[in-house]
Amino acid sequence: MTRGAKGAAALSAIALIAVAGCTSGTPDENETNDSSAFTTREVTDGKTEFVVVTNPGDGPVLSYGADSGIELLTEEVDGKKLAFKDMNANGSLDTWEDWRETAQDRAAALSEELTVEQIAGLMLFSSHERSQADGLTDAQKEYLKDSRLRNVLHAGPSDVQATVTWANAMQAYTESLATADEPYIPVNFASDPRSTAGSGGYNAEGADISRWPSNLGLAATFDTQHMDAFAELSSAEYRALGITTALSPQIDLATEPRWLRVGGTFGEDVDQNTELAASYVTGYQGTTGQDGWGPESVNSMIKHWAGDGPGEGGRESHTDVGKYGVYPGDNFDAHTKAFLGSLDSAAVMTAYSIALDGNGEPLFGERVGTAYDDARMNLLRKDNNYQGVVVTDWSVTTSVTDPDAKLGTAWGAGDLTVDQRHYEILKTGHDMFGGNNAIEPVLAAHALWQADFEAGVNEIDADSRFRESGARILTMFFNPGLYENAYLDLDESKKVLASDDKIEAGYSAQLDSVVMLKNDGETISASDAAAWKDKTVYIPRNYNTGFDGAFGPGEYVEGEGIDVEVAKEFFAEVVTDEAVTDADGKVTSYTAPDLSEVDLVLVGMDSPDSGSNFTKAGRDATTGEWYPLSLQYRPYTADGANVRQTSISGDILADGSRENRSYFGKTSRIANESDLDAFDRAVAAIEASGQDIPVVTVLKAINPVVPAEFESRSDAIVVGFGTSDKALIEVALGLYEPQGRLPMQFPKDMDTVEAQLEDVAKDMTPYTDAAGNAYDYGFGLNYSGPITD
């Protein structure tokens, strides 16, 4: 075990330390309330008590647990009395305690003092923590104490009360774990995106956090000012929840339209992707009104290097079904451009997939996922000198062949032990292991590294390699000021989250992101809310059967295609279908209402649902049969001339041949074909009524869609990408003139989808409607016609 020099000071815990001397102390607030000296106050969230120190001038706010025993060090600078925290109780201001030093210098200094066990703990990024309302649990205390884990993934709701009290309790607990031998390390909370309006995700009911379009929706605005506002305002909300690292943005280039994760991207245009990624990173890592890092800053983690978008046939690399990314267009460089344009990001997350060229051979010589791929990592670390933190995606040290593995993504490394996988990943230049709570394999990797160093294989010893990662990881703690102010003032957090200005800005972006694709005969024209208050609208119902996945059976969901409660805000009456259900509560038939008194039909439809990341979409789990993912609702049989009869990707079999993953001749499986049934039922009900009732199709898209199944019978079509039903209704009623444009092509048919190359953007024939408008990248209508630059 290696310890730093200052760690040898003899005291058992910071909680037991009181520092004496003329340079330390805690002044009384009433005695130090002038602008030239720091002040202190005690704060509680109802469960955890802590002290808040306000420095004069531009000095940062400090905080520490009321029972921690931490004392303050003071310095007089230019007539101002400044406070610093003495976090190792040695009575002097060390480099890592001095907030005037750079984050990099502080991190480098502290990494030399940490034990190997502490650095190993820093290399862990926790599995998903979904229930903050449970408070600090024994399991969490165990990994904080025994594994020294300090990077925690907040995957629960944006509940300010539950989150603040949980986060403060965890910070207080880690403060109590600091000893003279193991210096203090706070908790770095992280989150996947949680601000998307049109996603259940982490969002609870109610105004818990401001809501914005998805990344795809922000791209649809074609206005970087919305991205700038999103980054500035949502990062402040993250900090109010204690989140200091964003596992975002997802900047994979969406060149394969069937890919199951297109909705989280900025679309298929490489230049737009690069611009939006840079804006996101700059905004998240900045603070309003000041240069550089500050109290509203959040570490940004761009993902997934070197681009995980070109899965063959759209299959997804979270499972064995989609573990291969293919580059038949030799277009790998385009997929790295946005990453290389945002290398000021604090961190990078790497992709799961194995990269293959058009002949099915490894693109860089190794048939392994990015975490194990020296060539792709050397491109990042060596060729482009990236010095930030590199994190694996979750579960890459687990193989699907491991006993009891629900999820494993160690593509190409299944024959290695868990310890060896950790070691190999460190050798490629990674610093952290996503989704791992256990320290033992990391320490085993340290031993393997040291053995190879002593054998002359590795150039540096294991301690030096670990401290290299330790310094990088600690920079993510110092960047946003975690060492100064890890605690959250509940009252202040409540003011920040879902404040009026943030809600307004998010909703404005939602409105601007909505794309109008069709407007026959001015079906949609400028109107006002009063014009609809005495009208009746028909909204059909539909259902989604769901798909079985790694974490359980598919979920059956049924209801109106547009939120009825939201629609009631606009109309005098909302009518919908009557349903007949079976003993299991599943719909066997719908009956449309009489539409003779109906003024408008709004048909809400989601993108055709082929499955999610964890459903092994594209392969039948029972028969092993491969089948196509589809962008249309009705069954699609892949027997056209452009369908590959021999796949590019496939495992190498025992006899040396390559597995054929072709789905030629097979038929798609869509969980929400009922959406198109709803549309057909609405059209039939209008015909039966004898009335001329306009039909507005409201498409909630996460992928391109083949519009041929509904376009000709729609009077108007509006598309939202992660927007709320309210924003979509406002545009559909003419209460807001549409501004959005397509961030990706909508294809003519599945034949052109089969003809396109997975790694090449904008290579499909776009759908052309009866008005002669091609639904190409950048297309959108306003009241005057096609929107032009």
Side-chain angles (χ1 to χ4, degrees), residues 366 368 370-374 377 392 397 412-413 415-430 433 441 445 448-449 452 457-458 465:
E366 296 182 273
V368 293
T370 311
Y372 302 92
D373 192 336
D374 288 304
M377 291 308 302
T392 72
T397 57
D415 58 338
L416 301 178
T417 68
V418 173
D419 294 348
Q420 289 170 333
R421 291 171 199 155
H422 283 76
Y423 176 41
E424 291 300 320
I425 288 169
L426 287 178
K427 285 167 65 178
T428 63
H430 283 73
F433 304 95
L448 290 170
W449 186 291
D452 273 356
V457 176
N458 293 330
R465 173 63 184 87

Side-chain angles (χ1 to χ4, degrees), residues 287-335:
T287 286
T288 305
Q290 66 183 67
D291 293 332
W293 296 88
E296 295 177 358
S297 298
V298 176
N299 296 298
S300 180
M301 185 183 295
I302 54 178
K303 62 185 187 183
H304 308 85
W305 172 264
D308 213 18
E312 186 168 20
R315 298 187 291 253
E316 178 24 52
S317 61
H318 274 77
T319 69
D320 175 83
V321 170
K323 66 184 177 184
Y324 294 102
V326 295
Y327 294 83
D330 194 25
N331 202 35
F332 173 83
D333 287 350
H335 288 260

